[in-house]
Amino acid sequence: MISKRNAKAVSAALLMMGTFAAFSQEIPSLKNTFKNDFGIGTALNNGQIEERDPKMTEMIVRQFNRATPENVMKSALIHPKWDTYDFVVPDKLIEFGKKHNIKINGHTLIWHSQLPSFIRGIHSKDSIQTFFTNHIQTVAGRYKDNIFSWDVVNEALNEDGTLRKTVFLDYLGEGYLAEAFRLTQQAAPNVELYYNDYNNEQPAKRAGCISLIKKIQASGARIDGVGIQGHWHVGKVPLKDIEESILQYAALGLKVMFTELDIEVLPRNFQGADVNQRVASNPDLNPYTAGLPDNVQQQLAADYEALFKLFLKHKDKVTRVTFWGVNDGNSWLNGWPVRGRTNYPLLFDRENQPKPAFYKVIALKK
Ligand code: 9MR
């Protein structure tokens, strides 16, 4: 027979066990796990910024302490007409960051892609220079007190390390690079300033990236960090090149960050993230519509584990790791370079549930 007193004690113990069970089943948090190592970020789309789905918001806030707008701060969206800016969603992103204690990385001020359509009608150096200056002053100036960092220039390099031919290079010459940093620094003196690119861990492009950074530094403009986007392919993550790049960029006095991490699992015959490269749709290129085979899932997990091991080894140099999307369903890789595919490049599945890769990454800190 259990006395009344004992019954109380038993029910209290059961309650505690229940709480413990609920607690132990709780999904670990990336941002907490790596809180002494580096920031953990995600790209956010409009729905996520506007908090349309409370469960999604809860998950974002639990997992991430850094965010980059996937699209809404790109010039075509934030500066649609010569003298018109659209700050509605970008302002919401700033509020989202304040409310949830998430530092915002602005993406991006100067990029040849996703430019406003009026640029195509401009054919004079003076007008391009005016657009360039006004754009940086207005956008960087508006967020000078509530954004943590800017990708000042994005993807200015070709694969061989030479400068990409863009409207900015054509009209303004290569001095546009240092000028972008100088103007941003002037407009937002307390914000960190980065150069961001994909494949800039590859030796030739890395050499071009280093020479670009040195020129910016020699001009007297400030540059605080370099972003390696990290759009890689399963089973082919170039760990040696990544490590060498961390060391070489850090030797220039820069912070290093992985800014758009995802590991693609579907077939593709080229590397990188040039949004203009497209491939026609074909069922052979979309093999996993019914789910990811276990061997690929395991390889993806091993790749993420190896990457995070490397990031941890260099945590004194790596300041942030940002995933390009919250979950597999949000990823741009479902639509590029082939439209309408089912891709699995991130740590969370389409229901926001952690994948084996997530647990491998978390286990590195156990
Ligand atoms: O993920 C972005 C996608 O929604 C856009 O359609 C695309 C258009 O340019 O840009 C994607 O993000 C890119 C990022 O801004 C810069 N690096 C490459 C990313 C993937 O293309």
Side-chain angles (χ1 to χ4, degrees):
M1 272 264 296
I2 307 180
S3 71
K4 226 180 175 184
R5 213 173 169 192
N6 281 348
K8 250 190 168 172
V10 168
S11 74
L14 284 174
L15 197 74
M16 267 177 67
M17 279 167 68
T19 313
F20 179 71
F23 182 69
S24 64
Q25 278 163 17
E26 217 169 70
I27 296 168
S29 152
L30 287 167
K31 75 171 185 194
N32 292 341
T33 302
F34 295 100
K35 68 175 184 298
N36 297 324
D37 306 313
F38 31 70
I40 297 283
T42 183
L44 294 179
N45 62 30
N46 283 34
Q48 291 159 340
I49 293 168
E50 296 186 333
E51 304 194 29
R52 286 182 211 153
D53 170 359
K55 282 216 167 104
M56 176 63 94
T57 306
E58 198 188 315
M59 186 273 190
I60 292 168
V61 173
R62 180 169 166 73
Q63 295 295 337
F64 304 101
N65 51 20
R66 305 281 188 275
T68 300
E70 186 172 2
N71 286 299
V72 294
M73 284 186 168
K74 292 172 179 172
S75 62
L77 286 99
I78 206 168
H79 190 171
K81 298 205 181 110
W82 178 258
D83 48 12
T84 307
Y85 292 82
D86 181 353
F87 293 123
V88 176
V89 189
D91 283 1
K92 287 185 186 167
L93 173 69
I94 301 296
E95 284 314 305
F96 184 95
K98 276 191 197 153
K99 186 168 144 196
H100 300 300
N101 211 8
I102 289 178
K103 286 184 184 162
I104 305 298
N105 173 62
H107 177 81
T108 167
L109 291 168
I110 297 300
W111 188 27
H112 65 280
S113 209
Q114 278 179 294
L115 283 167
S117 55
F118 67 82
I119 291 285
R120 283 200 295 273
I122 300 181
H123 302 288
S124 81
K125 176 177 175 176
D126 280 358
S127 300
I128 293 292
Q129 180 67 58
T130 305
F131 163 78
F132 184 87
T133 308
N134 287 350
H135 181 76
I136 294 178
Q137 285 176 343
T138 309
V139 177
R142 182 176 182 91
Y143 298 116
K144 70 179 182 355
D145 297 321
N146 38 33
I147 222 174
F148 181 75
S149 52
W150 268 111
D151 293 335
V152 177
V153 177
N154 194 41
E155 302 174 4
L157 292 164
N158 293 315
E159 297 308 284
D160 65 0
T162 57
L163 288 182
R164 188 195 282 270
K165 188 173 152 46
T166 68
V167 65
F168 304 116
L169 185 66
D170 279 356
Y171 283 98
L172 309 178
E174 70 171 290
Y176 88 88
L177 293 157
E179 178 70 355
F181 281 80
R182 195 185 64 76
L183 286 169
T184 311
Q185 180 180 351
Q186 219 170 45
N190 302 319
V191 172
E192 294 202 356
L193 311 179
Y194 308 144
Y195 175 73
N196 192 50
D197 214 327
Y198 59 84
N199 283 354
N200 53 342
E201 76 285 353
Q202 298 293 318
K205 198 161 179 176
R206 183 207 301 147
C209 193
I210 288 173
S211 110
L212 177 158
I213 291 162
K214 284 187 170 162
K215 282 186 194 156
I216 295 170
Q217 290 174 325
S219 80
R222 197 183 83 228
I223 171 166
D224 301 295
V226 59
I228 298 173
Q229 292 183 6
H231 295 293
W232 290 307
H233 201 283
V234 74
K236 294 187 204 156
V237 177
L239 293 168
K240 271 202 159 151
D241 292 329
I242 298 169
E243 180 160 35
E244 191 54 37
S245 301
I246 296 174
L247 296 172
Q248 292 197 21
Y249 290 136
L252 300 172
L254 297 188
K255 297 175 179 173
V256 180
M257 53 227 79
F258 293 86
T259 53
E260 304 184 14
L261 182 57
D262 48 27
I263 301 181
E264 148 142 53
V265 300
L266 299 179
R268 166 143 67 103
N269 59 6
F270 63 94
Q271 268 193 325
D274 184 340
V275 284
N276 296 316
Q277 272 178 289
R278 290 258 167 203
V279 176
S281 183
N282 156 359
D284 291 348
L285 296 177
N286 192 18
Y288 309 137
T289 50
L292 194 60
D294 192 54
N295 63 326
V296 189
Q297 189 77 270
Q298 297 314 323
Q299 181 65 54
L300 183 73
D303 285 350
Y304 268 116
E305 182 185 26
L307 260 178
F308 271 75
K309 215 181 220 175
L310 187 61
F311 299 159
L312 284 171
K313 179 174 173 195
H314 296 291
K315 65 181 183 181
D316 58 325
K317 303 174 181 70
V318 175
T319 56
R320 167 165 61 93
V321 179
T322 292
F323 294 89
W324 207 238
V326 175
N327 72 36
D328 286 343
N330 309 135
S331 170
W332 71 295
L333 290 168
N334 295 304
W336 182 91
V338 183
R339 282 185 218 280
R341 297 202 293 181
T342 307
N343 221 327
Y344 302 84
L346 297 166
L347 296 189
F348 296 94
D349 70 15
R350 286 166 166 74
E351 275 72 52
N352 272 344
Q353 292 308 303
K355 294 158 62 178
F358 172 89
Y359 289 107
K360 285 277 188 201
V361 163
I362 295 281
L364 290 171
K365 294 289 291 186
K366 292 255 157 80

